[in-house]
């Protein structure tokens, strides 16, 4: 049966733009449609920097109605609306204040594909989150539907005045241009192997294909979740007279206003309170440590962010968590990613030595991580100050 492919690349124009999503389309367009789909023949629908969410919805409904296998490639930018704090795919006219009206609600993608046959829909996703969406991902999963296979990554916001590229999707396209399409799980793993340290700090999405009918019903399938789940949010103290504002909202507002020190001070106060109430290795305290690591990243202080992630990893290991626990691997991967952004040689050597010790205990799921640290350290030692 012929397959259908949807290529969707969207990002805002102007100052709100974090990623040049449409730059991946020429690379994907160079791949034969049958290879993109994994079927003998396929029809391709392309959407480049669409303006209106309703126009995207129309295309989603059209491809959702096709009977054969459907493969959806999405590159773009993830944002939250300010009223309901729900994830949206930013479109060309989207600004932080207009997400609710000008961006595509991610739930529309989930709902339009909901009635398709289990196992017939595959999503390959390469997203960059803005600061608010990145914080939201700490305690939420990006739900793309239970019947869909979902593979890809969500990257943190790029450095200031840096326009990111959809490197995961471009790597997928480069692999497919060989003319052979491996099983989607292998394709996903090959892409991350090629990305290397660049993707260590990403949220990795791996949801295998939905079950197909078997005698007696459907085969079991794991629930939708990112490969590296976020720790649960800490218990919030109840106000005696009136509800207190969610501190995460206050922190996000401070970051958006450029008041990074105020944001860190507020998070530090909650971290210290959680430590006193629950202990230094509690999920409540570690949640706020991770918040502070992300805040340091938003403030472009990669060294401080790396140091906090290293501390989080050490704390979890000391508390008895396994080196292959997702929360431990996530902390080391984030530390590795931030270490790669440190430009001061002295700090890079100091943090790199600590990271190498941790990588020996927590190699992570991507091959070559420890050797990458050692190689970078050798280059640092060989480079004069």
């Amino acid at each position: 049966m012929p397959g259908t492919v949807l290529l969707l690349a969207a990002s805002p124009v102007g100052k709100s733009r974090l990623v040049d999503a449409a730059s991946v389309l020429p690379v994907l367009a160079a791949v034969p449609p049958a290879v993109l789909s994994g079927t003998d023949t396929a029809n391709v629908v392309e959407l480049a920097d669409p303006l209106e969410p309703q126009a995207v919805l129309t295309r989603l409904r059209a491809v959702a109605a096709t009977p054969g296998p459907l493969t959806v490639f999405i590159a773009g930018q993830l944002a939250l609306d300010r009223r309901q704090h729900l994830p949206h795919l930013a479109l060309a006219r989207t600004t932080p204040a207009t997400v609710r009206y000008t961006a595509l609600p991610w739930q529309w993608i989930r709902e339009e594909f909901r009635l398709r046959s289990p196992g017939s829909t595959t999503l390959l996703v390469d997203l960059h989150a803005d600061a608010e969406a990145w914080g939201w991902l700490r305690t939420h999963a990006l739900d793309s539907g239970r019947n869909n296979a979902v593979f890809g990554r969500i990257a943190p916001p790029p450095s200031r005045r840096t326009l990111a590229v959809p490197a995961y999707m471009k790597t997928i396209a480069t692999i497919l241009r060989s003319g052979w399409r491996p099983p989607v799980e292998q394709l996903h793993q090959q892409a991350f192997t090629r990305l290397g340290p660049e993707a260590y700090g990403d949220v990795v999405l791996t949801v295998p294909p939905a079950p197909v009918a078997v005698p007696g019903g459907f085969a079991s399938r794991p629930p939708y979740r990112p490969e590296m789940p976020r720790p649960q949010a800490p218990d919030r103290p109840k106000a005696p007279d009136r509800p207190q504002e969610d501190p995460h909202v206050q922190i996000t507002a401070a970051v958006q206003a450029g008041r990074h020190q105020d944001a860190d001070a507020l998070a530090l106060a909650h971290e210290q309170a959680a430590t006193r109430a629950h202990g230094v290795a509690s999920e409540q305290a570690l949640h706020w440590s991770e918040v502070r690591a992300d805040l340091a990243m938003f403030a472009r202080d990669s060294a401080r962010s790396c140091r906090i992630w290293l501390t989080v990893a050490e704390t979890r290991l000391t508390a008895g968590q396994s080196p292959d626990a997702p929360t431990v691997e996530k902390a080391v991967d984030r530390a590795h990613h931030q270490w790669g952004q440190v430009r001061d040689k002295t700090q890079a050597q100091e943090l790199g030595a600590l990271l190498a010790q941790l990588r020996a205990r927590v190699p992570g799921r991507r091959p070559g991580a420890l050797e990458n640290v050692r190689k970078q350290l050798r280059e640092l030692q060989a480079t004069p100050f």
Side-chain angles (χ1 to χ4, degrees), residues 9-240:
S11 56
V13 298
K15 295 187 296 182
S16 300
R17 191 174 207 175
L18 301 179
V19 58
D20 184 9
S23 65
V24 75
L25 290 178
V27 191
L28 286 170
V31 180
V35 178
L36 288 174
S37 177
T39 57
D40 291 336
T41 60
N43 299 312
V44 178
V45 178
E46 181 178 310
L47 282 174
D49 284 329
L51 299 177
E52 301 291 343
Q54 288 295 333
V56 181
L57 179 61
T58 299
R59 295 298 182 92
L60 288 175
R61 286 178 174 169
V63 298
T66 58
L70 171 63
T71 306
V72 182
F73 296 81
I74 303 177
Q77 185 170 321
L78 196 66
L80 300 185
D81 71 278
R82 290 182 173 177
R83 178 176 297 183
Q84 294 181 299
H85 298 284
L86 295 176
H88 289 64
L89 181 68
L91 303 183
R93 295 176 177 170
T94 301
T95 66
T98 65
V99 170
R100 181 176 175 83
Y101 308 103
T102 62
L104 180 77
W106 196 262
Q107 67 186 32
W108 287 9
I109 298 174
R110 181 186 70 231
E111 290 302 315
E112 291 306 317
F113 298 152
R114 179 172 56 88
L115 298 180
R116 286 184 54 82
S117 300
S120 67
T121 308
T122 300
L123 277 67
L124 289 161
V125 179
D126 189 350
L127 300 173
H128 280 74
D130 66 15
E132 188 172 4
W134 188 249
W136 180 86
L137 287 166
R138 192 179 296 109
T139 52
H140 298 79
L142 186 66
D143 186 357
S144 302
R146 293 182 59 84
N147 289 336
N148 308 322
V150 184
F151 294 90
R153 61 108 179 231
I154 308 174
S159 301
R160 188 177 302 164
R161 292 184 294 276
T162 298
L163 187 63
V165 296
Y168 169 83
M169 197 66 76
K170 285 189 174 183
T171 304
I172 291 286
T174 301
I175 295 171
L176 293 179
R177 286 181 67 179
S178 68
W180 180 70
R181 187 185 196 272
V184 66
E185 295 93 337
Q186 293 182 24
L187 178 64
H188 170 76
Q189 290 299 329
Q190 289 178 23
F192 269 99
T193 299
R194 294 193 184 190
L195 286 175
E198 176 184 348
Y200 284 148
D202 298 345
V203 175
V204 182
L205 305 175
T206 51
V207 182
V212 295
V214 296
F218 285 98
S220 61
R221 178 177 186 240
Y224 178 87
R225 62 178 177 83
E227 184 176 292
M228 301 177 184
R230 297 306 193 252
Q232 295 296 311
D235 297 332
R236 313 279 167 76
K238 295 182 178 179

